[in-house]
């Protein structure tokens, strides 16, 4: 499953270069709103394969694309639209978006 997520704002926004953790947290928050049980499962346990000491989440997301793409030393400014791709191999991942 691959979803292109676009958010548009009338007010210009600022995004620092180091936004990945905030985006990751926002995705988990959206998952939690859709299914608290699934979100807790992914966060606390994840998927485990026998013999591998690693937890798999089975989702990823791209970097943000900013429109317009104006930047300075601190980050991206005057952003009115962002876009990114959310991907998961699990078709049952449910996200609900309330903006």
């Amino acid at each position: 499953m691959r979803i292109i997520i676009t958010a548009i704002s009338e007010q210009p926004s600022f995004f620092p270069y180091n936004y990945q953790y905030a985006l990751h947290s926002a995705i988990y928050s959206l998952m939690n709103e859709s299914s608290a049980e699934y979100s807790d499962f992914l966060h606390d346990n994840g998927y485990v394969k026998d013999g591998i000491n690693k937890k798999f989440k089975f989702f990823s997301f791209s970097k943000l694309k900013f429109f317009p793409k104006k930047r300075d030393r601190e980050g991206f400014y005057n952003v009115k639209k962002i876009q990114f791709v959310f991907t998961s191999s699990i078709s049952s991942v449910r996200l609900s978006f309330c903006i």
Side-chain angles (χ1 to χ4, degrees):
M1 166 185 71
R2 184 174 290 165
I3 302 170
I4 297 174
I5 299 170
T6 303
I8 299 171
S9 173
E10 292 181 12
Q11 299 294 323
S13 301
F14 173 79
F15 289 84
Y17 288 123
N18 188 14
Y19 63 82
Q20 290 289 333
Y21 181 78
L23 179 57
H24 186 259
S25 296
I27 289 171
Y28 266 109
S29 178
L30 290 170
M31 283 185 190
N32 191 46
E33 287 180 28
S34 295
S35 173
E37 289 178 9
Y38 188 66
S39 176
D40 290 342
F41 166 75
L42 277 183
H43 187 267
D44 298 338
N45 302 318
Y47 294 93
V48 179
K49 179 161 175 56
D50 293 334
I52 299 176
N53 190 20
K54 181 168 172 61
K55 299 175 183 178
F56 297 95
K57 308 301 182 180
F58 290 126
F59 76 87
S60 65
F61 54 92
S62 68
K63 295 179 183 179
L64 292 177
K65 292 181 182 177
F66 300 99
F67 304 95
K69 192 171 186 175
K70 297 180 180 179
R71 55 184 162 186
D72 61 15
R73 294 179 61 184
E74 303 296 319
F76 300 92
Y77 66 95
N78 288 339
V79 176
K80 291 194 174 186
K81 176 180 166 183
I82 59 170
Q83 191 173 63
F84 70 99
V85 178
F86 177 87
T87 305
S88 176
S89 61
I90 307 296
S91 62
S92 64
V93 173
R94 294 174 293 184
L95 296 175
S96 65
F97 295 94
C98 299
I99 298 176

